[in-house]
Amino acid sequence: MPMKIFDKVTQSLIDRAKELGIETGIDRLEDQQPQCGFGQLGSCCRMCYMGPCRIDPFGNGAAKGVCGATADTIVCRNLLREEVGGAASHVGHARHVVIAFQKMLEGKAPGYKITDRAKLLEVASGLGIKTNGKSDTDVAREVASKAMDDLSRQDGEPMNWLKLRAPKREFEMWKNQGILISNAHNEIEEAMHRTSMGNDADPINLLLACLKMGLVDGYAGLHMATDFHDILFGTPQISKIEANIGVLEKDKVNIAIHGHNPVLSEKILEWTKKLEEEAKKRGSLGINVVGVCCTGNELTMRHGVPMAAHNLQTELVLITGAVDAMVVDMQCIWPSLAMIAECFHTKFITTESFVKIPGAIHVNFEPEHADEEAKKIVMMAIDAFEERKGEEVNIPKEKSVGFAGLSVEAIIDLLKKVDSSDPLKPVIDNITNGNIYGVVGFAGCPSIKLRDTSMTEKMTKELLKNNVLVVATGCTGHILAQAGLMDSSATDKYCGEGRRAVLHAVGKAAGFDVPLPPVWNMGSCVDNSRIATLLGALADRLGVKVSQLPAAGSAPELVQEKAVSIGTWFLALGLFVHIAPSPRILGSSVATDVLTKELENITGGKAYVELDPAKAAAGIISHIALKRKALGI
Ligand code: BF8
Ligand code: SF4
């Protein structure tokens, strides 16, 4: 494998790990070469013990598995199972938050409260709950019960959160196609059943099930999680942030929070404030909470907490030697972190009963005892800081500044300053006149296989030059913040003339002395719900389907199964979805044809695989041009 060179901060810490003789993912990727071609094409089946069977799509070898399954069947079954992994993660996350919410309402989780009453009432009225004359707690109980219906009902009625959040035209389209969903857990069960040995062998039927699983992810996972996060912890508003590993501070107790669920991270943040004086008494300058991966985005969106690292940098944050505690909950947590923490004084703390890692300290974090546990965790970090005194740390100097907190509500508030009665009008007018050529949502991960190509940054810069409005979530948000693209100073540097003018005008109307930044941070991966809401609102305002918008999505450095299920949801919504590297579909001509061509006639969506950043951006721009032409703008 050719030597990979990463951005300055990432590379400096990889080099430092080498100096210290500590193994990282880069070493292990090399040890894994060559990776299995059948696995990459998706044509290896392990669904039963007559296998494993593998099909060479180029015709050099067996054309069928022992049971007679073809490459098309095998690839489509595998794709659906990948999506089940993604959707189960997001639905599990949402369920955790709803359960914490219910415990709070029952008085069993006194550490939590309803923070955003307006959001509660908005969700309640969307669900058809009458709010007049009822207490907030009663309304909240009904909202929680509607959420639980979506995880338990057996009557086959469409899911409440689908009716609440799906754009109306797309809801009707899915109804006509027979892919509406009712109960997320049943859908996940049916998908596992369907893909087990001796069930669905029809690739088209399996691909329709993939679209359904996309809807499960989008509505019972992402939208449900975002709604409850906002009610519990507040809907994000624009704030200033810093990004990159340079946000660690040598003389402070550094607590890195990694994972996804704000039910944990919000509590830790609260207790760092309460224990600030204690930390100072022990010789520090205070406590510095930094965010890693998606929970980092959650904290930065609501509290402006610095964004320390994306997923590929999680090991490297520890290599600085400056992290006193890394606290994790669920998803995207590399088992290697516990081993790296052991090389330093760092306390690596797991908190979920279903996420335990050898070598980690486990603190079972339950909403009922949130305050006690959060206090215990912060105290462990303060103790670890004392152990660190006098030890060498290697914190890179580089950090960038920018803005975060651009929820749809925050965007609408900004736009109201331009047109208070019709806030979307300025966006629609500027899309029509071409100042905003189109809208592209970047989502997903940093791929260790592609990160050295700066895929995400290069594509974004190209799109900005062409006046595209770029919004980002998840680890792409970290990458683009680190590149300085979420700061106002990047507006004049990277945007085409049209977008530059719009960002200056809205910034001025909003009372800022700077233009809005060119890339808008819309939050964590579950906050892809916010991107869908924005696109749904634009489509609604224009009176068209989402598939008719000059818009696209991109997962430019695909890693996780969760990105596959989100991508499929975007395909079901009718979006053009760029993905790199290729999802594991190339072993099936049916899956490849349907997802990259035929689907356009069904939902309007289309998958587009391209690993070269310039070509990928050009492909997206041509798609936007076609959509603009079709709209006559
Ligand atoms: O859910 S972007 S590496 S942290 S999967 Fe994971 Fe990918 Fe990061 Fe968040 Ni999303
Ligand atoms: Fe092989 Fe069929 Fe068993 Fe898969 S289900 S491992 S293709 S025999």
Side-chain angles (χ1 to χ4, degrees):
M1 195 178 77
M3 170 100 167
K4 289 180 174 291
I5 306 289
F6 296 87
D7 62 272
K8 193 173 165 200
V9 170
T10 305
Q11 191 60 48
S12 70
L13 287 162
I14 291 170
D15 294 344
R16 174 72 181 151
K18 278 207 171 20
E19 251 170 64
L20 296 171
I22 300 174
E23 177 195 276
T24 65
I26 312 296
D27 306 306
R28 293 187 296 269
L29 177 65
E30 212 169 309
D31 293 346
Q32 284 291 336
Q33 300 307 312
Q35 286 176 307
C36 172
F38 294 99
Q40 294 188 49
L41 296 170
S43 59
C44 169
C45 182
R46 298 189 308 128
M47 300 313 184
C48 89
Y49 279 76
M50 294 191 288
C53 301
R54 46 192 217 177
I55 315 289
D56 180 329
F58 309 108
N60 303 319
K64 294 190 184 81
V66 176
C67 67
T70 61
D72 291 324
T73 301
I74 293 172
V75 167
C76 295
R77 283 197 304 218
N78 286 342
L79 181 67
L80 181 54
R81 283 215 169 175
E82 271 184 30
E83 273 196 69
V84 166
S89 302
H90 286 138
V91 174
H93 173 157
R95 183 173 57 84
H96 267 72
V97 183
V98 177
I99 287 175
F101 187 77
Q102 281 187 318
K103 286 182 177 165
M104 180 239 345
L105 296 171
E106 289 161 9
K108 292 181 191 157
Y112 298 93
K113 63 179 193 323
I114 294 168
T115 299
D116 192 337
R117 183 170 182 266
K119 185 86 180 210
L120 171 71
L121 297 182
E122 186 257 320
V123 171
S125 98
L127 289 166
I129 296 168
K130 296 208 166 47
T131 54
N132 274 354
K134 288 184 192 159
S135 70
D136 288 354
T137 313
D138 283 343
V139 172
R141 267 195 205 106
E142 288 185 50
V143 167
S145 147
K146 292 265 187 198
M148 281 303 171
D149 276 355
D150 287 351
L151 305 178
S152 58
R153 70 186 325 148
Q154 302 297 330
D155 59 7
E157 284 299 304
M159 195 181 271
N160 294 322
W161 247 260
L162 185 72
K163 288 192 280 186
L164 171 67
R165 293 301 183 202
K168 299 291 165 273
R169 289 173 180 82
E170 282 63 30
F171 184 93
E172 285 307 313
M173 170 177 78
W174 298 329
K175 189 172 169 189
N176 294 335
Q177 288 155 358
I179 59 168
L180 290 182
I181 49 167
S182 178
N183 165 346
H185 286 173
N186 285 8
E187 301 295 348
I188 287 169
E189 176 226 81
E190 186 176 273
M192 289 305 283
H193 185 178
R194 181 193 283 273
T195 50
S196 69
M197 197 273 188
N199 289 299
D200 206 351
D202 178 351
I204 300 295
N205 210 32
L206 283 158
L207 291 170
L208 282 171
C210 286
L211 291 177
K212 282 177 90 175
M213 198 47 55
L215 302 189
V216 171
D217 192 299
Y219 298 99
L222 314 190
H223 270 296
M224 195 185 283
T226 298
D227 284 335
F228 281 91
H229 289 170
D230 285 355
I231 296 171
L232 273 169
F233 306 114
T235 302
Q237 286 297 323
I238 191 161
S239 66
K240 280 196 172 170
I241 50 121
E242 288 185 337
N244 218 334
I245 301 178
V247 300
L248 292 170
E249 295 186 49
K250 179 173 175 284
D251 298 318
K252 286 192 176 174
V253 178
N254 289 305
I255 304 183
I257 313 190
H258 171 18
H260 287 81
N261 193 340
V263 170
L264 169 76
S265 53
E266 287 274 339
K267 265 291 151 199
I268 304 280
L269 183 66
E270 188 184 322
W271 273 94
T272 56
K273 290 180 182 144
K274 291 181 179 161
L275 293 170
E276 179 87 2
E277 283 314 308
E278 175 65 22
K280 285 183 181 163
K281 269 194 237 152
R282 305 270 208 97
S284 76
L285 292 182
I287 306 180
N288 181 33
V289 176
V290 301
V292 174
C293 289
C294 279
T295 214
N297 277 314
E298 297 284 353
L299 288 176
T300 210
M301 289 288 283
R302 295 193 177 84
H303 305 283
V305 163
M307 303 165 73
H310 54 65
N311 198 247
L312 172 51
Q313 297 168 324
T314 51
E315 294 184 315
L316 306 177
V317 189
L318 300 184
I319 297 290
T320 61
V323 175
D324 301 301
M326 178 178 266
V327 194
V328 304
D329 51 31
M330 55 182 75
Q331 303 168 21
C332 305
I333 300 150
W334 296 16
S336 63
L337 296 175
M339 290 174 258
I340 296 185
E342 272 175 7
C343 303
F344 300 91
H345 72 296
T346 310
K347 301 278 180 275
F348 180 72
I349 305 164
T350 53
T351 55
E352 271 297 336
S353 56
F354 73 101
V355 185
K356 291 193 178 175
I357 298 176
I361 301 166
H362 189 75
V363 175
N364 214 33
F365 186 88
E366 302 272 3
E368 288 91 331
H369 315 288
D371 285 297
E372 260 164 83
E373 307 300 3
K375 182 178 179 188
K376 190 177 356 167
I377 290 169
V378 177
M379 286 306 291
M380 276 189 216
I382 296 174
D383 291 344
F385 172 82
E386 282 199 307
E387 274 176 52
R388 165 158 71 90
K389 274 185 204 154
E391 294 288 325
E392 190 187 349
V393 296
N394 276 274
I395 304 174
K397 279 193 280 309
E398 292 78 5
K399 59 181 174 184
S400 46
V401 293
F403 289 90
L406 285 129
S407 59
V408 175
E409 289 84 343
I411 294 170
I412 299 286
D413 283 351
L414 286 173
L415 294 172
K416 274 186 185 159
K417 307 264 172 61
V418 183
D419 188 332
S420 59
S421 59
D422 188 0
L424 282 180
K425 187 170 182 292
V427 180
I428 301 291
D429 288 350
N430 280 291
I431 290 178
T432 309
N433 70 21
N435 278 343
I436 298 175
Y437 194 62
V439 183
V440 174
F442 276 82
C445 327
S447 165
I448 200 162
K449 296 179 176 177
L450 294 176
R451 191 77 291 270
D452 58 319
T453 66
S454 302
M455 183 81 188
T456 304
E457 300 89 318
K458 283 185 189 154
M459 278 181 70
T460 303
K461 285 177 188 167
E462 199 52 37
L463 293 173
L464 293 179
K465 202 165 77 189
N466 285 279
N467 292 316
V468 171
L469 167 59
V470 175
V471 297
T473 56
C475 286
T476 58
H478 282 272
I479 293 169
L480 295 173
Q482 290 182 8
L485 295 170
M486 290 184 175
D487 190 46
S488 300
S489 60
T491 301
D492 289 349
K493 198 164 165 198
Y494 295 109
C495 290
E497 208 179 314
R499 253 212 90 199
R500 216 183 297 161
V502 177
L503 293 170
H504 274 273
V506 182
K508 195 169 169 201
F512 298 157
D513 48 9
V514 287
L516 290 187
V519 178
W520 294 357
N521 188 344
M522 294 193 79
S524 64
C525 274
V526 299
D527 290 335
N528 281 305
S529 57
R530 300 190 200 276
I531 296 184
T533 301
L534 181 65
L535 294 176
L538 289 174
D540 202 38
R541 179 66 177 67
L542 278 167
V544 300
K545 291 197 271 189
V546 171
S547 61
Q548 291 173 272
L549 290 174
S554 173
E557 302 183 35
L558 170 65
V559 174
Q560 263 268 14
E561 289 172 332
K562 292 183 285 172
V564 179
S565 45
I566 296 172
T568 316
W569 174 41
F570 278 7
L571 288 175
L573 274 167
L575 283 168
F576 180 86
V577 180
H578 164 256
I579 314 151
S582 172
R584 293 174 187 139
I585 59 169
L586 299 182
S588 159
S589 55
V590 172
T592 308
D593 274 8
V594 169
L595 294 172
T596 61
K597 292 189 200 108
E598 299 302 323
L599 189 64
E600 221 175 349
N601 304 319
I602 305 169
T603 66
K606 184 176 181 168
Y608 165 62
V609 177
E610 175 56 65
L611 274 72
D612 178 89
K615 286 187 192 155
I620 290 175
I621 290 164
S622 330
H623 167 80
I624 291 175
L626 280 177
K627 294 291 163 180
R628 293 186 65 89
K629 198 168 164 210
L631 286 173
I633 56 176

